[in-house]
């Protein structure tokens, strides 16, 4: 039995801490794009770019880019739902990429760039299904985002973490990420820090 130090004299059991953070693992093209969106979102405490959805253990960027590992480039977004609602995190996902484009986002082509939501439990799966249904009226074509069970999530190499902040003047950031950030800022400015 764990004893609460404040109530040690009474021997009262400690109350289990209430988790104040939730993590969603989402894939929507190059992970640099979603990483940039979520790093400026209020209530987000961590964004980790990585690989999931494939069978290869310890995949590298080069291996995943080959399209032969089954992994998707994804981000693990950890946030406080008391600050930013889960629905906002998911709506940002559907604003930050084209969920109607099968296995591609712009010039990034292959299953590693698929639109996918990786659920950790049945509650997340239901939440993700509701988010797809909520987003569909905003798109002229059917959403092709897959719902996949979350398996191992492999953190990407250091150079892929917070890429936009490290390389804001690179061509990819200017041509691909900036328009996505502008779209997100236009629709969700109240939820952003920058």
């Amino acid at each position: 039995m764990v004893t609460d130090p404040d109530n040690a004299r009474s021997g009262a059991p400690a109350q289990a801490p209430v988790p104040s953070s939730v993590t969603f693992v989402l894939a929507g093209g190059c992970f640099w794009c979603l990483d940039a969106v979520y790093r400026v979102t209020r209530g987000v405490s961590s964004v980790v770019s990585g690989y999931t959805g494939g069978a290869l253990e310890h995949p590298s960027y080069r291996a995943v880019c080959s399209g032969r590992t089954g992994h998707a480039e994804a981000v693990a977004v950890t946030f406080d739902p008391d600050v930013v609602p889960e629905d906002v995190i998911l709506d940002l996902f559907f604003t930050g990429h084209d969920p109607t484009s099968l296995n591609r986002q712009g010039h990034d082509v292959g299953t590693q760039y698929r639109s996918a939501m990786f659920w950790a439990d049945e509650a997340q799966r239901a939440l993700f299904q509701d988010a797809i249904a909520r987003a569909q009226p905003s798109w002229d074509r059917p959403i092709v985002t897959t719902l996949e069970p979350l398996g191992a999530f492999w953190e990407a190499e250091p150079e892929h973490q917070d890429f936009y902040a490290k390389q804001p003047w690179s061509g990819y950031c200017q041509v691909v990420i900036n328009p996505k950030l502008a779209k997100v800022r236009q629709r969700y400015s109240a939820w952003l820090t920058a």
Side-chain angles (χ1 to χ4, degrees):
M1 174 167 71
V2 176
T3 303
D4 184 338
D6 293 333
N7 295 323
R9 284 176 288 206
S10 69
Q15 296 293 320
V18 177
S20 61
S21 65
V22 174
T23 299
F24 289 160
V25 177
L26 307 168
C30 177
F31 45 32
W32 299 339
C33 298
L34 289 176
D35 178 275
V37 168
Y38 288 120
R39 284 187 186 270
V40 296
T41 303
R42 293 184 193 284
V44 171
S45 59
S46 171
V47 184
V48 178
S49 294
Y51 316 108
T52 194
L56 180 68
E57 292 193 13
H58 306 286
S60 67
Y61 182 72
R62 184 175 182 160
V64 172
C65 283
S66 75
R68 295 189 299 260
T69 69
H71 290 89
E73 289 190 15
V75 292
V77 182
T78 301
F79 62 98
D80 182 343
D82 291 332
V83 176
V84 58
E86 294 169 328
D87 286 354
V88 171
I89 295 292
L90 296 174
D91 292 348
L92 284 165
F93 170 71
F94 286 106
T95 303
H97 82 292
D98 179 355
T100 69
S101 182
L102 185 63
N103 298 330
R104 86 176 294 151
Q105 290 294 304
H107 294 292
D108 294 327
V109 180
T111 57
Q112 67 271 29
Y113 300 113
R114 67 187 179 271
S115 177
M117 305 169 88
F118 297 89
W119 48 273
D121 55 34
E122 287 300 321
Q124 273 194 3
R125 183 178 184 172
L127 195 64
F128 292 172
Q129 286 173 323
D130 290 347
I132 291 171
R134 190 172 58 252
Q136 184 58 73
S138 299
W139 297 91
D140 294 333
R141 299 181 317 225
I143 288 177
V144 296
T145 303
T146 60
L147 295 176
E148 303 178 34
L150 178 61
F153 179 86
W154 304 96
E155 187 170 331
E157 298 82 351
E159 61 268 24
H160 299 297
Q161 308 302 327
D162 203 8
F163 183 85
Y164 182 79
K166 295 175 187 172
Q167 309 266 344
W169 302 112
S170 76
Y172 193 91
C173 292
Q174 291 294 307
V175 175
V176 179
I177 299 176
N178 278 344
K180 291 179 181 193
L181 283 173
K183 186 177 177 184
V184 164
R185 284 186 183 112
Q186 182 181 31
R187 295 183 184 178
Y188 294 95
S189 61
W191 297 104
L192 305 180
T193 59

